[in-house]
Short mmCIF file of all heavy atoms in Angstrom, two decimals:
data_model
loop_
_atom_site.label_atom_id
_atom_site.label_comp_id
_atom_site.label_asym_id
_atom_site.label_seq_id
_atom_site.Cartn_x
_atom_site.Cartn_y
_atom_site.Cartn_z
N PRO U 194 110.29 143.34 99.26
CA PRO U 194 109.45 143.82 98.14
C PRO U 194 109.14 145.30 98.21
O PRO U 194 108.82 145.92 97.20
CB PRO U 194 108.17 142.97 98.27
CG PRO U 194 108.58 141.77 99.04
CD PRO U 194 109.66 142.20 99.97
N ALA U 206 128.55 152.55 73.27
CA ALA U 206 128.88 151.81 72.05
C ALA U 206 130.18 151.03 72.21
O ALA U 206 130.27 149.86 71.84
CB ALA U 206 129.00 152.77 70.86
N ARG U 266 115.95 166.22 73.76
CA ARG U 266 116.99 167.18 74.10
C ARG U 266 117.51 167.89 72.85
O ARG U 266 117.69 169.11 72.83
CB ARG U 266 118.15 166.47 74.81
CG ARG U 266 119.22 167.42 75.33
CD ARG U 266 120.41 166.66 75.88
NE ARG U 266 120.00 165.73 76.92
CZ ARG U 266 120.82 164.79 77.42
NH1 ARG U 266 122.05 164.66 76.95
NH2 ARG U 266 120.40 163.99 78.37
N ALA U 276 114.41 179.83 67.55
CA ALA U 276 113.75 180.97 68.19
C ALA U 276 114.69 182.16 68.31
O ALA U 276 114.27 183.31 68.25
CB ALA U 276 113.24 180.56 69.57
N THR U 349 120.38 153.15 62.27
CA THR U 349 119.64 151.89 62.24
C THR U 349 120.07 151.13 60.99
O THR U 349 120.36 151.73 59.96
CB THR U 349 118.12 152.13 62.21
OG1 THR U 349 117.79 152.93 61.07
CG2 THR U 349 117.66 152.83 63.48
N ALA U 415 122.61 165.10 34.88
CA ALA U 415 122.19 164.22 35.98
C ALA U 415 120.99 164.83 36.72
O ALA U 415 120.09 164.10 37.16
CB ALA U 415 123.35 164.01 36.95
N ALA U 669 100.69 163.50 58.55
CA ALA U 669 101.88 162.67 58.36
C ALA U 669 102.72 163.18 57.19
O ALA U 669 103.95 163.29 57.30
CB ALA U 669 101.46 161.21 58.13
N HIS U 909 68.96 180.41 86.83
CA HIS U 909 70.00 179.45 87.22
C HIS U 909 70.94 180.08 88.23
O HIS U 909 71.27 179.50 89.27
CB HIS U 909 70.80 179.02 85.99
CG HIS U 909 70.03 178.19 85.02
ND1 HIS U 909 70.57 177.78 83.82
CD2 HIS U 909 68.78 177.68 85.07
CE1 HIS U 909 69.66 177.07 83.17
NE2 HIS U 909 68.57 177.00 83.91
#
Side-chain angles (χ1 to χ4, degrees):
R266 186 187 304 169
T349 57
H909 291 176

